[in-house]
Amino acid sequence: MTDLPNNNTSHPDSKKVLLQASLTENIKIIKKDLGNSNDIIIREILAGKSKKQLISIIHTDGLANETLITDSILESLMLDLNGDLETKPTEINQYLKDYCLTVSDVKDIVDFTTLYSALLNGDTIILFDGLTKGIAASTKGAKDRAVSDPATESVIRGPRESFTETLRTNTALIRRKIKSPNLWIESRVIGEETKTDIAVMYINGIANDKIVQEVLDRLDRIEIDGILESHYIEDMIRDSKSSIFPTVYNSERPDVIAGELLEGRIAILVDGTPFVLIVPALFVSFLQSAEDYYHNAIVSSFIRLVRFFGICISLVAPSLYIAITTFHQEMLPTPLLISIYSQREGVPFPAFIEALIMEIAFEILREAGIRMPRMIGPAISIVGTLVIGQAAVQAGIISAVMVIIVALTAICSFLFPAYGLSNAVRVLRFPLMILSGMFGLVGLMAGVMMIILHLCSLRSFGVPYMSPFAPLILKGQKDALILFPRNSLLTRPRLISQRNNVRGRKHPDKTKRNVH
């Protein structure tokens, strides 16, 4: 390849390398910088009445809409251009934008950095021979997944739609829920190589300006080569990076994100993933389901209490069994104590080892069920659990009571609406088992107290993680352990919004109704 001028030979990420007047040189630079990739389609045409104006149309195959390029760009360039181009070639750029191109969004490009960014985002680039300015026409048309039912947050009653991997589809799903001009979006591009689009959504006038600015500042400080999933962002902006508890909430349901935005929180959408991040995130947020708000308040409160009780069982049930059977047998009624020890008579392991074996076996089976093909994964995990559990009891390795305890713990672990908190409880179960095996109930209570103290020390973007419990906010109890009726939820969380805290507050001029 012919050597190119020094002022324009550069890596695609070089800053402000200007386009040249020669179209041939510009095409050479593009081919060299992009490695002659065969998905970069370059079409050169002669336009104008005398067919002397050389124009190049460049797009990325698979990212641009071929039909839109043909109908709105190629047809205009080849059929609609007239002889004015021969007399005023320097005005061709503006002429095309004003009279020819029928796409919705066009912008000028003068350097290769902007050109590559637009080209690799699905836009079509139009370059002209003799001009140092080109046009980027919006022709994005990459294939994406259709809006479907949520895969991880299924509900009996509620909207049947979830986010997709396309950023603009996701923002549109939220705007369908909140049709307010105060729903603002601020954009960022993160990743030196991936150039991933990030959208920060919040409701102006409800969201706390300081938290919004803090979110934007933390995003601006991220330095990484690529963002492939929203967890990359979550891991870099969360407060306590060493904590096992998640301090950034995520959901794939547009109605959940809309509800959080209405409470004053900020949503972070990442192109390429269907999971949207929400900050600030509180501990109670991970224990509440979207379906709670679609049922009667009494029913939802009962379901929440059952869920919280089941989550506590998931955390401490094996440890409690170990502590009582090892150190505190006097706490059990005599018939129950005789029944348990008659079952454990032939078991060669202490209760701690017995529980540890069963918990590890269950975690292995659950992970195997997730990684197996979808059609056989559930069958293998269920059959494996039944066969292994029954065989272990018959072989005298594990007692039947321990199988019941581990099965109950496993069932309760599926009560978590948020998968992130479920993972934290799964891991913490093992240290609590160790403390119970060493010190009995004293060790178990000490472990639980350490967890509570750690939770009370956490913050999410300046908001206490355990609010409205610590600090105690009485108004916040209306939507914490229990759920009050909808007409009682008149205020937003005080520590999150701090602005326009009254829901549905009307404009002063519209508070009075006309009575006929």
Side-chain angles (χ1 to χ4, degrees):
M1 181 179 291
T2 307
D3 292 338
L4 302 176
N6 293 333
N7 62 335
N8 275 327
T9 54
S10 62
H11 185 270
D13 291 334
S14 299
K15 304 299 182 181
K16 300 301 179 183
V17 180
L18 302 179
L19 294 173
Q20 292 187 352
S22 172
L23 179 60
T24 303
E25 294 300 324
N26 288 332
I27 297 301
K28 287 182 179 179
I29 294 174
I30 292 172
K31 288 183 176 180
K32 178 182 178 182
D33 288 344
L34 297 181
N36 287 306
S37 301
N38 58 8
D39 63 338
I40 305 299
I41 309 301
I42 301 176
R43 170 77 183 276
E44 296 184 7
I45 64 173
L46 293 172
K49 188 174 182 179
S50 59
K51 306 300 181 185
K52 293 182 179 180
Q53 178 63 51
L54 183 61
I55 302 177
S56 180
I57 299 95
I58 310 170
H59 71 275
T60 304
D61 189 19
L63 297 181
N65 188 323
E66 297 280 353
T67 303
L68 188 60
I69 294 173
T70 302
D71 296 342
S72 301
I73 297 179
L74 285 174
E75 185 176 346
S76 298
L77 293 177
M78 301 179 72
L79 301 179
D80 297 342
L81 292 183
N82 55 38
D84 291 341
L85 297 177
E86 277 85 41
T87 59
K88 297 180 180 179
T90 58
E91 298 179 2
I92 183 175
N93 181 287
Q94 194 64 37
Y95 180 88
L96 288 178
K97 292 192 296 182
D98 292 343
Y99 301 104
C100 296
L101 298 180
T102 58
V103 295
S104 60
D105 183 27
V106 293
K107 59 184 179 181
D108 291 330
I109 52 173
V110 295
D111 60 83
F112 283 97
T113 302
T114 307
L115 185 150
Y116 294 134
S117 177
L119 178 63
L120 299 176
N121 271 291
D123 292 344
T124 296
I125 307 301
I126 305 174
L127 299 178
F128 314 95
D129 191 28
L131 292 179
T132 58
K133 181 187 294 186
I135 296 176
S138 178
T139 57
K140 297 180 179 65
K143 296 184 182 298
D144 60 341
R145 181 169 59 90
V147 177
S148 59
D149 291 352
T152 60
E153 298 176 77
S154 59
V155 295
I156 297 176
R157 179 175 180 177
R160 304 292 182 181
E161 58 184 9
S162 65
F163 292 118
T164 70
E165 286 75 16
T166 306
L167 180 63
R168 279 295 162 250
T169 301
N170 295 342
T171 57
L173 288 172
I174 297 176
R175 285 203 180 273
R176 284 180 57 190
K177 304 289 184 183
I178 305 177
K179 302 178 181 67
S180 170
N182 294 322
L183 181 60
W184 290 6
I185 301 178
E186 298 202 29
S187 301
R188 294 290 188 273
V189 177
I190 300 179
E192 291 297 322
E193 300 297 334
T194 60
K195 307 293 184 184
T196 305
D197 292 321
I198 310 292
V200 179
M201 298 187 72
Y202 60 94
I203 300 179
N204 183 49
I206 296 180
N208 190 325
D209 290 338
K210 293 182 179 179
I211 298 180
V212 173
Q213 189 58 48
E214 179 65 21
V215 171
L216 296 175
D217 290 343
R218 294 190 188 187
L219 290 175
D220 292 336
R221 289 196 294 267
I222 294 178
E223 295 182 0
I224 192 173
D225 61 342
I227 301 292
L228 302 180
E229 214 277 332
S230 57
H231 181 75
Y232 286 51
I233 300 294
E234 175 184 347
D235 198 43
M236 292 185 175
I237 66 172
R238 68 193 192 105
D239 291 70
S240 302
K241 294 181 172 57
S242 59
S243 175
I244 195 173
F245 289 95
T247 55
V248 177
Y249 185 70
N250 69 81
S251 176
E252 63 172 345
R253 296 181 60 92
D255 58 325
V256 172
I257 302 302
E260 300 288 356
L261 289 172
L262 290 172
E263 288 192 344
R265 292 181 172 89
I266 297 101
I268 304 173
L269 295 85
V270 181
D271 190 29
T273 176
F275 291 93
V276 175
L277 306 180
I278 281 288
V279 294
L282 307 181
F283 181 77
V284 293
S285 301
F286 296 91
L287 303 178
Q288 297 173 351
S289 171
E291 197 173 11
D292 294 348
Y293 302 95
Y294 305 146
H295 291 295
N296 180 275
I298 298 176
V299 175
S300 296
S301 299
F302 173 75
I303 294 174
R304 277 191 181 182
L305 292 175
V306 171
R307 186 185 302 139
F308 292 165
F309 180 69
I311 289 171
C312 293
I313 291 177
S314 174
L315 178 64
V316 303
S319 304
L320 191 62
Y321 173 81
I322 293 171
I324 292 177
T325 56
T326 305
F327 295 96
H328 309 282
Q329 299 90 342
E330 68 279 0
M331 296 180 63
L332 297 175
T334 302
L336 179 59
L337 182 63
I338 294 174
S339 175
I340 291 176
Y341 273 87
S342 63
Q343 295 176 29
R344 288 185 45 78
E345 184 176 1
V347 177
F349 304 111
F352 169 69
I353 300 299
E354 187 183 3
L356 188 64
I357 292 173
M358 287 300 296
E359 286 291 340
I360 293 177
F362 174 75
E363 293 297 334
I364 292 173
L365 287 171
R366 177 155 70 169
E367 192 67 18
I370 294 174
R371 306 304 166 197
M372 283 183 179
R374 184 176 301 178
M375 299 302 296
I376 65 173
I380 294 297
S381 60
I382 294 173
V383 172
T385 303
L386 292 175
V387 171
I388 292 177
Q390 184 66 23
V393 172
Q394 292 181 353
I397 300 175
I398 303 296
S399 65
V401 177
M402 179 55 68
V403 175
I404 296 174
I405 294 294
V406 173
L408 181 62
T409 302
I411 293 172
C412 291
S413 67
F414 294 114
L415 292 174
F416 288 88
Y419 189 69
L421 187 60
S422 174
N423 288 335
V425 171
R426 287 169 60 188
V427 174
L428 289 174
R429 196 181 298 144
F430 290 94
L432 290 180
M433 289 168 55
I434 295 174
L435 289 174
S436 298
M438 295 175 63
F439 306 106
L441 287 178
V442 175
L444 176 59
M445 291 299 103
V448 172
M449 288 300 298
M450 285 189 290
I451 293 174
I452 294 175
L453 291 174
H454 173 68
L455 289 172
C456 292
S457 68
L458 295 178
R459 287 180 174 267
S460 179
F461 287 82
V463 179
Y465 190 56
M466 290 301 292
S467 63
F469 304 119
L472 181 63
I473 302 174
L474 295 179
K475 289 185 178 180
Q477 305 305 316
K478 296 180 180 180
D479 189 15
L481 284 178
I482 60 176
L483 179 64
F484 277 49
R486 177 64 57 185
N487 56 7
S488 299
L489 304 177
L490 301 178
T491 58
R492 298 183 176 90
R494 179 169 58 86
L495 295 181
I496 294 176
S497 176
Q498 299 182 357
R499 299 176 61 190
N500 191 12
N501 285 331
V502 179
R503 296 178 184 269
R505 174 179 289 168
K506 297 181 180 180
H507 190 275
D509 296 337
K510 301 180 180 179
T511 55
K512 296 182 179 180
R513 296 178 60 187
N514 294 326
V515 180
H516 298 284

